[in-house]
Amino acid sequence: MSVSKETEKILNENAEFLKALAHPVRLCIVKNLCKKGCANVTCMQDCLQLPQSTVSQHLNKLKSAAIIEGTRNGLEVKYRVCNKKALELIKVLFPEDV
């Protein structure tokens, strides 16, 4: 079976999107951001019980995949989910939480 260039591009984009979410910590971050609306690293660190550096690494992966975005206010950065596909996927995976 051969696929068109456009279909191949879409398949690759979706695979990269799913790879970015396919880690328990990143999935938890996105799930909690969907539920809360936005949060800073300290809030996520406390919730996940992980070091700030670990949370920041996961946030960078999610930002690179354009799943979340951060808004700076002085020294604080508040993160939120900016990807509709991620919001819909979280609703499917965790319908009782969102």
Side-chain angles (χ1 to χ4, degrees), residues 16-41 43-45 47-48 50 54-55 57-70 79-95 97-98:
E16 290 303 314
F17 167 78
L18 291 170
K19 280 184 208 176
L21 283 174
H23 188 283
V25 171
R26 290 192 293 272
L27 195 55
C28 184
I29 288 170
V30 174
K31 175 180 163 273
N32 287 333
L33 287 175
C34 286
K35 189 173 185 176
K36 292 181 180 182
C38 66
N40 63 23
V41 175
C43 179
M44 289 181 229
Q45 177 187 351
C47 177
L48 295 166
L50 293 171
T54 302
V55 174
Q57 287 176 357
H58 288 292
L59 289 170
N60 283 332
K61 181 91 172 180
L62 292 167
K63 283 193 304 188
S64 294
I67 294 171
I68 66 168
E69 64 184 9
Y79 294 94
R80 69 176 193 85
V81 177
C82 62
N83 184 299
K84 276 186 147 183
K85 198 183 303 184
L87 290 167
E88 293 302 317
L89 183 59
I90 293 299
K91 286 178 187 175
V92 170
L93 294 174
F94 306 100
D97 288 343
V98 185

